[in-house]
Amino acid sequence: MNTTPLRLVMNKNLYQRDPQDTELGRKIIQESIKMIDELGFEKFTFKKLAEQIESTEASVYRYFDNKHRLLVYLIAWYWVWLEYRIDFGTQNIESPLKKLEIALDILAQKKVLDPAFPLVDETALFRIVIAESDKTYLTKQVDEDNKEGLFRGFKSLCDKIAGFVKEVNPDFKFPYSLISTALQASHQQLFYSDHLPSLTELGKTNEDVNVANARFLREMVFRSIGK
Amino acid sequence: MNTTPLRLVMNKNLYQRDPQDTELGRKIIQESIKMIDELGFEKFTFKKLAEQIESTEASVYRYFDNKHRLLVYLIAWYWVWLEYRIDFGTQNIESPLKKLEIALDILAQKKVLDPAFPLVDETALFRIVIAESDKTYLTKQVDEDNKEGLFRGFKSLCDKIAGFVKEVNPDFKFPYSLISTALQASHQQLFYSDHLPSLTELGKTNEDVNVANARFLREMVFRSIGK
DNA sequence: CGTTTGTGATAGTAATACTATTATTTAAAA
DNA sequence: TTTTAAATAATAGTATTACTATCACAAACG
């Protein structure tokens, strides 16, 4: 089966020059995902990246103002992608309960390569999201970054799922709080199961970590909203 | 009313030389809390700290191997302090449900100066916890740091509250996951209400943010475990 | 009284996160 | 096809960071 290659539309403030437009830009995306995954964000530098893609630091700076912005771009891409997958998965579904279930499932699902986006290695990007996504907003410049709309992807996703919650139970007082908590938890629990296993049950049962994660999320969310 | 000044016992791997032992060490703690709160962790450096306390970079390095370790120390101190407050608050309480309630309340409570620890500005430290605590473990060296026991404070706290959960409902499958999620959420929701308000209900009602936070946490935890 | 211990003073280093300039290649417009 | 503009490469340079190393001094301690 074939899939049309797609292009996610990203907020223009996320980049200086659109990396999806040029060969060099695409290399920056591809290679930075690989390198941040391997080195971690702090050890990753534009210099090392430029060496890898056989270009120069100055050229990379033409696409992204700094490495923080590049990280924000990658994470934003992930959230936009997730929302697209949830839109896709909940297409033609009537029941809000069912839609919520599907959304949580997609969240927790093991990530595999999406042929619609050959540019991006979603499995590596997912590891980056788990380990680095909080760093996008845990800075002194959150407010300015937020004003520029850099976190729109995350907010939009949260809004969508919170919308399902409101449909399921219009009386529940904390749909946004609950869903933003669930979104975070979905990554955190995976990080814990890998590195601080005494903080989670995931990985302790004989079922797959991702499946256990999905069960945990579903239980927490559904019980919280009283279903 | 008077309180005896206390000293929390910290894991020896958290420091090079115990900062609680000397005048300089105590200044490092006091001033670093102030500076990290103001500058944020990335802009904070040992050089700037040394200038403030009228000492030298080299002297600071005698107490902490690097600034990451100093952050880990401060955050660890906070968790140990919280656990001590929860121990205190649940003293002589029989009902596990009540104990759980108290623990969550203490978690979400607005933090004020604790006269038992005149060295530490708990309000500033709390802001640091909200904005920086995740950075203690979101690194490539988590596993080594964890082996050294640097995260014992957090794990111990999580273990204690999860213990209450198990007492309340021995059949619940995810006590650790739920409590580690709640611990994180308690800070995250406050951060969101300050900087990304569309992700949370806190701050939208006419009640105090901390009170709303406590209600959210209680609702999420109690409903999840079926009480 | 001598020695350990903590601190200060100073110097130095490799790496980071940029900025700036010029030259060269490539692609689009005339 | 030529002109011209845009994109990139090459190179250099800077302030700051996160350390490490050395030596000297003063207090405290046994």
Side-chain angles (χ1 to χ4, degrees), chain A residues 17-20 22-36 44 46 49-50 52-53 55-64 70 73-74 119:
Chain A
R17 171 165 303 159
D18 193 334
Q20 304 193 86
T22 68
E23 193 49 39
L24 181 62
R26 288 186 286 269
K27 265 198 205 163
I28 289 174
I29 298 304
Q30 243 177 335
E31 202 56 41
S32 65
I33 289 175
K34 202 179 282 180
M35 291 186 81
I36 294 175
F44 165 81
F46 277 5
L49 172 63
Q52 276 293 321
I53 62 180
S55 179
T56 64
E57 242 182 308
S59 301
V60 178
Y61 274 102
R62 278 192 207 96
Y63 286 84
F64 294 98
L70 171 54
Y73 178 94
L74 295 177
L119 181 62

Side-chain angles (χ1 to χ4, degrees), chain B residues 108-174:
Chain B
Q109 233 163 51
K110 188 174 176 206
K111 302 300 182 292
V112 293
L113 293 185
D114 185 339
F117 304 96
L119 182 62
V120 176
D121 177 346
E122 285 85 4
T123 58
L125 183 55
F126 186 55
R127 288 190 294 269
I128 295 177
V129 170
I130 290 174
E132 322 284 3
S133 65
D134 293 351
K135 297 172 190 169
T136 57
Y137 58 82
L138 292 177
T139 69
K140 279 283 167 186
Q141 355 105 40
V142 216
D143 297 326
E144 289 115 78
D145 287 357
N146 187 32
K147 257 184 211 138
E148 288 192 50
L150 304 192
F151 308 121
R152 218 170 280 162
F154 186 69
K155 295 201 277 190
S156 168
L157 177 64
C158 188
D159 191 44
K160 167 154 290 146
I161 307 181
F164 299 158
V165 169
K166 286 187 252 178
E167 280 187 84
V168 172
N169 179 356
D171 292 330
F172 180 61
K173 293 285 183 301
F174 303 103

